[in-house]
Amino acid sequence: MAFSGLLRPAVLAASRSPRVERAITRIPATKKVVDRFIAGETEGDAVAATSALLGSGRSVTIDYLGEDTTDLDSARGTVVHYLRLLSALAELRAVNDAPVPQLEISLKLSALGQSLPQNGYAIAREHAYEICTAAKSAGVWVTVDAEDHTTTDATLAIVRELRLDFPWLGTVLQAYLKRTEEDCRTFAGPGSRIRLCKGAYREPASVAYQSRSAVDESYLRCLRVLMEGKGYPMIATHDPALIDAALRHVRESGRKSGDFEFQMLHGIRDTEQRRLAGVGHTLRVYVPYGDQWYGYFMRRLAERPANIAFFLRSFRDR
């Protein structure tokens, strides 16, 4: 309770602070911790990490890091990175009998221009359409990431539009938002792909549950809606209790291995990732890369006290 009530909000606030970013990114010991969560800075780094994960029996979704883009050139630069990545993944694509593609990319619409003051919605939609077109040719899935609550309506609207041409397109819903249970009902229809996560941004109590127990209870309610629906749930959690709950729903609903998947973050609970994959579940690893790692890194620190402890030990061990 002390962590979630005090330290976690402070870390999330720091994730939005340019001053704190400058201080932390200049500390040499930071790289030791960053390397645990981030695959590297280039497409080559991402592909190398992906190849190793595929070899271990896991699936992958790759995120080119960046968000809150404020100029069109940066948004176009993000598109170029994804197109290069997809070209490389087309050559890496495994040919096997897996029920779902092993390769996927994850997009943040704010990195594609959603936050631009003029025509941001249309620009992000067009950029996402271009990336989805390339992904389809490469045989790679796409999931649109969730960001803070102010972007949710626009993000889901763009997803609805894109799914008219790319019905396999997935999106993310965050259990800590009070609206998410109803969003799960809306998006649990045939062909839908929903990644359900707890949520990693600092949100006000007016729109988001604040306590860990309330978030967990919301996650369980949302999980039941998705498992009882007609879509493809993507269960994004490292929480053993929630994983066990998901497996109970699998048994009760009669879902097969190709009807859902687990997702975990690169560098977190590697042994559990291998265990789930080893018993026949689809386990997809979220692999981020790029030089704009600060915001993502700070959210990972905020998620668990163990991550903070690991960060602090890196200074002691210098």
Side-chain angles (χ1 to χ4, degrees), residues 19-296:
R19 181 177 61 83
V20 178
E21 178 179 1
R22 287 192 296 271
I24 288 180
T25 55
R26 290 174 181 172
I27 299 172
T30 300
K31 188 176 186 302
K32 177 181 178 181
V33 190
V34 171
D35 288 345
R36 173 182 175 180
F37 301 116
I38 312 299
E41 295 192 353
T42 69
E43 283 75 37
D45 294 330
V47 170
T50 295
S51 181
L53 288 165
L54 293 178
S56 71
R58 287 172 278 186
S59 298
V60 176
T61 186
I62 307 174
D63 173 32
Y64 175 66
L65 291 169
E67 53 194 284
D68 299 330
T69 296
T70 57
D71 64 87
L72 184 57
D73 287 344
S74 295
R76 279 305 308 169
T78 297
V79 175
V80 169
H81 275 283
Y82 273 112
L83 296 180
R84 286 205 302 255
L85 175 63
L86 286 165
S87 178
L89 292 179
E91 298 181 6
L92 183 66
R93 184 178 60 187
V95 179
N96 55 34
D97 296 325
V100 296
Q102 288 184 288
L103 295 174
E104 183 195 71
I105 59 171
S106 290
L107 308 175
K108 284 185 171 59
L109 293 182
S110 74
L112 301 182
Q114 186 181 39
S115 302
L116 296 179
Q118 293 185 342
N119 302 318
Y121 182 99
I123 290 168
R125 181 187 58 204
E126 291 169 10
H127 284 163
Y129 194 100
E130 182 178 355
I131 292 169
C132 285
T133 300
K136 181 179 179 180
S137 297
V140 175
W141 265 355
V142 180
T143 288
V144 175
D145 272 331
E147 301 181 64
D148 72 76
H149 80 278
T150 64
T151 68
T152 303
D153 283 329
T155 295
L156 295 181
I158 289 175
V159 168
R160 287 189 188 95
E161 292 184 46
L162 292 174
R163 288 194 75 236
L164 296 175
D165 290 325
F166 309 102
W168 40 263
L169 180 69
T171 194
V172 179
L173 297 176
Q174 302 178 102
Y176 69 174
L177 295 181
K178 296 176 180 179
R179 62 175 287 169
T180 295
E181 187 175 354
E182 185 57 36
D183 286 334
C184 285
R185 292 192 179 93
T186 300
F187 281 86
S192 66
R193 291 199 307 114
I194 297 298
R195 177 192 299 156
L196 180 64
C197 66
K198 288 187 179 182
Y201 292 84
R202 188 184 186 191
E203 303 283 16
S206 58
V207 300
Y209 300 110
Q210 300 297 302
S211 72
R212 176 176 177 178
S213 61
V215 174
D216 287 352
E217 290 167 5
S218 175
Y219 195 104
L220 290 170
R221 293 193 302 271
C222 294
L223 179 62
R224 176 175 291 278
V225 171
L226 295 177
M227 283 293 191
E228 293 178 351
K230 303 297 184 182
Y232 180 83
M234 301 183 289
I235 306 155
T237 183
H238 307 98
D239 188 325
L242 296 182
I243 292 170
D244 288 344
L247 291 173
R248 286 195 299 272
H249 282 303
V250 168
R251 292 190 293 270
E252 293 168 1
S253 65
R255 285 181 178 267
K256 307 301 182 185
S257 60
D259 297 335
F260 74 99
E261 67 182 49
F262 289 105
Q263 296 191 357
M264 294 188 182
L265 299 172
H266 179 60
I268 298 181
R269 298 204 72 196
D270 187 76
T271 299
E272 177 66 357
Q273 291 181 21
R274 292 173 182 271
R275 184 191 73 81
L276 288 168
V279 296
H281 297 302
T282 299
L283 188 289
R284 193 176 303 274
V285 183
Y286 189 96
V287 177
Y289 80 102
D291 57 7
Q292 300 299 309
W293 49 262
Y294 174 74
Y296 176 88

